[in-house]
């Protein structure tokens, strides 16, 4: 869904109607120092788009759609870089036992695995570690690269991506976390972590911005 972009004059009209409605087109034009004819297309757009209601012989009312439009616009403007958190990385040869300790110590649900060049090699989730733990293997002798989800099957994002696109990716790929990466010649550098918690934080920030 693409939000309707209002121009400055349309925003001004909305503000006037919000504060003074019901108000006639003539009165709005007076306040803006313009003619009624000049305003006609703007008023038509605002009415058709549902921002304003018009009643014959009474004037224009604010229909309250602005908040929804602004909310949508704000949501689409949120970027990964404003909500990502620190990535926690481990090496491919770390043992599963140590990875479990690491996950607890760092208080995260997903660890990213890097190769010798510190480039993204894999992802380890809670369930990956749990699955291995309920087997009969010795956790101290299994390196994480045996059990991780590896490249090229990893879903990731970049810091400039719209947050809503990453939320979709989290849902579609059924994962809790995406590495935020920068493409380098020798692989993907990990610069952040985008999780379902990041999305929840963004959700709260939207509500606070709009005083819902
Ligand atoms: P959990 O296993 O704790 O439910 P996830 O739902 O994130 O956590 O992980 C489910 C599976 O998907 C795991 O096997 C994990 O390795 C893998 N996985 C996690 N994150 C990603 C990702 N960004 N891209 C690809 N696979 C992932």
């Amino acid at each position: 869904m693409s939000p309707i972009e209002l121009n400055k004059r349309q925003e001004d009209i909305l503000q006037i109607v919000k504060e003074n409605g019901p108000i006639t087109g003539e009165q709005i034009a007076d306040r803006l120092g313009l003619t009624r004819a000049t305003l006609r297309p703007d008023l038509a757009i605002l009415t058709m788009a549902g921002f304003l209601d018009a009643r014959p012989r009474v004037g224009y009312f604010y229909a309250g759609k602005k908040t929804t439009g602004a909310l949508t616009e704000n949501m689409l403007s949120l970027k990964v870089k404003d909500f990502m958190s620190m990535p926690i990385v481990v090496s491919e040869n770390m043992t599963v036992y140590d990875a479990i300790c690491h996950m607890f110590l760092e208080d995260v649900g997903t660890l990213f695995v890097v190769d010798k060049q510190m480039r993204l090699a894999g992802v380890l989730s809670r369930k990956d570690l749990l699955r291995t733990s309920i087997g009969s293997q010795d956790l101290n002798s299994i390196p994480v690269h045996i059990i991780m989800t590896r490249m090229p099957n990893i879903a990731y994002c970049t810091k400039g991506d719209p947050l809503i696109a990453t939320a979709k990716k989290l849902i579609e790929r059924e994962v809790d976390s995406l590495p935020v990466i920068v493409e380098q010649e020798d692989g993907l550098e990990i610069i952040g972590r985008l999780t379902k918690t990041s999305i929840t934080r963004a959700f709260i920030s939207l509500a606070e911005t709009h005083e819902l």
Side-chain angles (χ1 to χ4, degrees), residues 1-150:
M1 178 175 133
S2 70
I4 295 174
E5 290 231 348
L6 298 183
N7 64 30
K8 168 82 171 70
R9 188 193 288 159
Q10 289 160 354
E11 292 281 2
D12 289 346
I13 294 171
L14 271 189
Q15 199 54 39
I16 290 170
V17 178
K18 212 173 178 181
E19 286 165 10
N20 307 284
I23 180 169
T24 66
E26 205 71 51
Q27 289 165 330
I28 299 171
D30 274 354
R31 282 174 183 264
L32 289 171
L34 299 165
T35 66
R36 172 81 178 80
T38 314
L39 280 196
R40 197 162 288 132
D42 293 317
L43 288 169
I45 287 169
L46 290 170
T47 310
M48 279 189 297
F51 292 99
L52 297 182
D53 262 347
R55 302 225 182 112
R57 287 186 300 280
V58 181
Y60 291 93
F61 291 87
Y62 177 62
K65 195 184 160 189
K66 168 103 193 327
T67 315
T68 316
L71 183 60
T72 310
E73 248 168 67
N74 278 352
M75 191 157 62
L76 295 176
S77 72
L78 299 179
K79 295 280 186 275
V80 165
K81 66 171 169 356
D82 299 318
F83 293 92
M84 67 189 199
S85 46
M86 288 290 294
I88 305 300
V89 303
V90 300
S91 83
E92 293 177 288
N93 292 322
M94 180 180 266
T95 65
V96 170
Y97 183 91
D98 284 344
I100 292 172
C101 296
H102 218 70
M103 193 173 265
F104 275 102
L105 285 175
E106 298 288 353
D107 197 17
V108 289
T110 311
L111 298 170
F112 301 132
V113 184
V114 289
D115 61 21
K116 287 196 187 66
Q117 285 75 42
M118 294 296 284
R119 299 305 180 226
L120 177 63
V123 172
L124 279 174
S125 76
R126 279 176 281 225
K127 244 177 275 160
D128 294 329
L129 296 172
L130 206 53
R131 195 184 305 113
T132 312
S133 306
I134 57 176
S136 53
Q137 302 104 318
D138 174 12
L139 302 183
N140 275 306
S141 65
I142 310 168
V144 291
H145 70 81
I146 304 285
I147 66 158
M148 70 189 188
T149 298
R150 57 182 57 247

Side-chain angles (χ1 to χ4, degrees), residues 123 125-128 149 153-155 174-179:
V123 172
S125 76
R126 279 176 281 225
K127 244 177 275 160
D128 294 329
T149 298
N153 299 321
I154 298 175
E174 297 183 4
V175 295
D176 290 345
S177 166
L178 301 174

